[in-house]
Amino acid sequence: MANNITQYDLLLSCPGDITDDEIKSVKDSIDEFNDMYTDTLGISVRLRYWKISSYSQSGGKPQELLNNQFVYDCDAAIALFWTRFGTPTDKYGSGTEEEIQHMLDSDKQVFMYFSDKPISPSVHNPEEYDKVLKFKEYYSDKGIYGTYASAADLKKTFLAHLSKFFLSKEALDEFKEERNPHLKLVGIDNNGDITEDTHIVVFEPSQILYPKDYYIELEGMFDGINNFNIENSQVGTTYTFPTLNSVKVVQFNDSKKKFLDFLAKSLNIKLNNNFYELGNLREERSVYSVLDQQSKLIGTNSEIEKFEMLENLYNSSRDYFDWIDFFDKYSNLSCIKIAIENTGKSYDEDVEVILNFNDENLILPNEFPELLHSTKKYLVDEFDFDDLFGIKESINIKDYNSSIMTKGFDRNSINLPTLFGGKDYDESLLEELLDTFDYSIYSKDSQRVIKLDFDYVKHNTVVAFPTVLFVKGAFSEIKYEIKSKHSPDKVTGSIGVRAEIK
């Protein structure tokens, strides 16, 4: 996993008589510092210098443009002087002086060095050098400058000063604080936006299919069959089949008819007299094996098509009733949506969140509404429970699965029908709920305590809990604790609860 690096920009400010060797010494010192401390402390220093950091720009004075391009954004500065003071600006004796004064006024660190190299007569300008000496004298009692005799001496001195500054106890404490993760709980509203408090809202399945949507779909299926005509078939005609297999006339199942008649009446849909008519459709079944459940429909394309339309209508109608059973019972529940937010500059791992509810305020999976057996079968066979109860990922929020580093054993993979008797759907439904509501639950005095683990929470990220939490009653806050690998202290706090249900 990549380390999180805090980068600091260091401004190099110097007049034009400073040599390339001296500038290279500064660069080499920074490179050596980064090699030693970037991986261990997460600190990286980047050199900013007008020759490498500025770009062509019009519309202002040169020093003003440089200030806005990168000088003002630097975190510290190194200034070098030898014989020249530099080009004056509107406010200061040189651009270097202006840059130094800006850093000092901003309470930023300035490393200032004066060269003690011998001065060649060809480069000596007494007036310029006098400005340098007066500037040096001005800062002599402030203790912020040093001297060097050569480029090699500068490299050694600056590296020592750079390390001492960044590795001071105060600086290290500041770096550690900046690099620490900062974890807290936040709420999620129904628009998928992050909120300081969590909101009690009416539950809506993440995979929403409202009853009216089902009704429109079923109404269209009824109309399609009412208007369907079977072609090229004579009702009642008997065919002779040269086969030993069992052949019988296909009639739509009486119990299915009664169910569809009831549904059509409840939806105020009138059925044609030939609604269930299948023409001369036959079914052929093998006589060689009583276990052979395969059969073959024999008839015209339109006869077979109408039979399939009726079967699809029946199956969809059963799904409709099962969904209504689930929707009616669960849409009466109240729920909250919670997430963990990391506002720090470093990721965190092995995060454990503990929430404390009063006993009467949290609804556990084994206390969810009782459903019809057919509804249980429908939900277990047809739905991913994360799609029903999970909190969807949005532009601002990651879903819970994004925090899982390694996938564990999926017990859904063994949730298969037995050879005789099929699934126990009462047990299967509870298993699915417990697997989806992935919390450890404890009772303590008059409280219900739930614990949730996150493998990994990236910095500047919000990760949702795996599901909504079903609640009841009135309460104003949830107390929580957060423990993690990279946070030095246990985080304790509370998240407010706002009742949005009218």
Side-chain angles (χ1 to χ4, degrees):
M1 187 178 300
N3 290 327
N4 294 279
I5 305 301
T6 302
Q7 180 174 278
Y8 294 88
D9 285 342
L10 178 75
L11 172 67
L12 172 58
S13 184
C14 60
D17 62 335
I18 297 301
T19 67
D20 290 343
D21 286 344
E22 289 163 301
I23 293 173
K24 184 177 184 301
S25 293
V26 173
K27 293 179 180 178
D28 291 344
S29 297
I30 293 173
D31 290 342
E32 189 169 335
F33 176 87
N34 288 337
D35 288 342
M36 289 190 293
Y37 301 117
T38 295
D39 288 340
T40 56
L41 297 180
I43 302 170
S44 177
V45 178
R46 179 176 64 169
L47 185 65
R48 307 288 277 169
Y49 177 43
W50 72 270
K51 284 188 177 180
I52 59 175
S53 303
S54 64
Y55 53 88
S56 298
Q57 186 180 8
S58 60
K61 296 180 179 180
Q63 186 61 47
E64 180 183 351
L65 295 176
L66 291 177
N67 291 342
N68 291 325
Q69 285 180 16
F70 64 91
V71 171
Y72 288 160
D73 292 332
C74 287
D75 303 292
I78 176 174
L80 304 179
F81 291 96
W82 185 26
T83 66
R84 295 175 56 185
F85 193 58
T87 304
T89 66
D90 289 346
K91 298 180 181 179
Y92 293 92
S94 71
T96 299
E97 183 185 12
E98 179 171 338
E99 291 169 358
I100 291 172
Q101 196 58 49
H102 167 74
M103 301 300 288
L104 293 175
D105 290 344
S106 302
D107 294 324
K108 295 178 180 180
Q109 173 67 23
V110 175
F111 302 95
M112 192 184 307
Y113 301 96
F114 293 87
S115 174
D116 282 341
K117 294 184 302 180
I119 300 176
S120 170
S122 62
V123 299
H124 183 59
N125 182 322
E127 184 178 346
E128 278 286 304
Y129 189 56
D130 186 57
K131 292 181 182 179
V132 172
L133 293 177
K134 288 182 179 179
F135 189 73
K136 181 179 180 181
E137 183 180 358
Y138 175 77
Y139 285 102
S140 62
D141 61 345
K142 301 181 186 299
I144 68 169
Y145 75 82
T147 61
Y148 64 94
S150 65
D153 186 29
L154 173 61
K155 176 184 175 183
K156 179 180 177 181
T157 302
F158 178 54
L159 178 60
H161 290 170
L162 188 67
S163 299
K164 183 178 179 180
F165 170 73
F166 277 100
L167 301 183
S168 67
K169 182 181 184 303
E170 294 79 8
L172 282 176
D173 289 343
E174 182 181 346
F175 298 149
K176 290 178 181 178
E177 177 62 23
E178 286 186 354
R179 294 188 71 242
N180 277 340
H182 296 287
L183 303 176
K184 68 174 183 177
L185 297 189
V186 294
I188 304 172
D189 64 19
N190 273 347
N191 296 320
D193 295 326
I194 302 167
T195 57
E196 286 298 316
D197 298 329
T198 186
H199 298 229
I200 299 178
V201 296
V202 174
F203 170 67
E204 290 184 345
S206 297
Q207 181 173 321
I208 297 175
L209 188 59
Y210 289 107
K212 64 179 181 180
D213 299 324
Y214 250 130
Y215 168 77
I216 293 172
E217 179 183 347
L218 293 176
E219 186 179 42
M221 297 175 74
F222 272 109
D223 288 345
I225 297 174
N226 261 334
N227 297 319
F228 190 85
N229 294 316
I230 294 178
E231 300 174 353
N232 303 324
S233 176
Q234 291 183 337
V235 177
T237 301
T238 301
Y239 295 151
T240 300
F241 298 93
T243 177
L244 295 176
N245 294 339
S246 171
V247 179
K248 65 177 183 179
V249 174
V250 175
Q251 293 183 340
F252 196 65
N253 183 277
D254 285 341
S255 63
K256 294 180 180 181
K257 283 183 182 180
K258 291 180 180 179
F259 181 82
L260 292 181
D261 287 342
F262 168 78
L263 178 60
K265 185 176 180 179
S266 65
L267 297 178
N268 199 28
I269 297 174
K270 182 175 177 58
L271 303 184
N272 293 340
N273 292 332
N274 62 347
F275 187 81
Y276 298 107
E277 181 58 56
L278 295 173
N280 200 39
L281 187 64
R282 298 290 190 269
E283 179 187 39
E284 180 182 13
R285 191 180 296 272
S286 172
V287 298
Y288 292 105
S289 174
V290 295
L291 295 178
D292 185 3
Q293 298 300 313
Q294 299 298 318
S295 62
K296 178 182 179 182
L297 293 176
I298 302 174
T300 65
N301 290 337
S302 59
E303 289 170 343
I304 295 174
E305 183 179 354
K306 185 174 183 181
F307 175 80
E308 292 174 345
M309 291 172 68
L310 286 168
E311 287 290 332
N312 288 336
L313 173 60
Y314 173 77
N315 292 331
S316 297
S317 299
R318 295 298 310 189
D319 290 349
Y320 169 73
F321 273 90
D322 291 331
W323 178 258
I324 291 296
D325 180 45
F326 169 77
F327 189 87
D328 284 350
K329 292 174 180 175
Y330 276 78
S331 63
N332 291 321
L333 298 180
S334 301
C335 69
I336 56 177
K337 299 177 182 179
I338 300 179
I340 186 168
E341 181 178 25
N342 182 1
T343 59
K345 293 185 178 180
S346 175
Y347 66 88
D348 212 336
E349 297 176 286
D350 301 333
V351 180
E352 177 186 89
V353 180
I354 297 175
L355 294 90
N356 294 274
F357 290 83
N358 289 331
D359 188 55
E360 68 274 10
N361 293 136
L362 180 66
I363 305 175
L364 303 180
N366 61 345
E367 299 170 337
F368 290 176
E370 184 64 23
L371 300 170
L372 298 172
H373 182 270
S374 61
T375 304
K376 295 176 182 178
K377 181 179 184 303
Y378 170 63
L379 294 177
V380 170
D381 288 347
E382 300 297 331
F383 286 91
D384 181 338
F385 277 41
D386 287 338
D387 291 336
L388 291 175
F389 302 104
I391 300 176
K392 287 184 177 179
E393 182 167 310
S394 68
I395 189 171
N396 298 317
I397 300 166
K398 298 290 187 181
D399 66 13
Y400 178 72
N401 288 333
S402 69
S403 72
I404 301 175
M405 300 302 296
T406 57
K407 303 296 183 181
F409 179 71
D410 183 6
R411 65 182 175 188
N412 288 333
S413 63
I414 62 169
N415 193 14
L416 300 173
T418 57
L419 182 59
F420 299 101
K423 294 180 183 179
D424 180 343
Y425 283 98
D426 291 331
E427 181 179 335
S428 295
L429 178 68
L430 184 58
E431 285 183 355
E432 291 276 9
L433 290 173
L434 292 174
D435 192 45
T436 304
F437 287 79
D438 192 21
Y439 310 94
S440 300
I441 303 170
Y442 308 92
S443 294
K444 181 181 179 181
D445 299 328
S446 60
Q447 289 190 322
R448 288 181 169 179
V449 180
I450 67 172
K451 182 171 75 70
L452 176 63
D453 296 324
F454 296 82
D455 291 347
Y456 171 70
V457 182
K458 187 180 178 182
H459 57 289
N460 296 322
T461 300
V462 179
V463 180
F465 277 36
T467 64
V468 302
L469 294 174
F470 289 109
V471 295
K472 57 184 177 179
F475 56 107
S476 60
E477 68 173 6
I478 304 168
K479 293 183 178 180
Y480 65 81
E481 298 177 4
I482 303 175
K483 303 174 186 178
S484 61
K485 182 176 180 179
H486 299 302
S487 295
D489 301 311
K490 177 175 69 175
V491 177
T492 59
S494 64
I495 181 171
V497 179
R498 296 174 55 184
E500 297 292 330
I501 299 175
K502 304 300 182 183

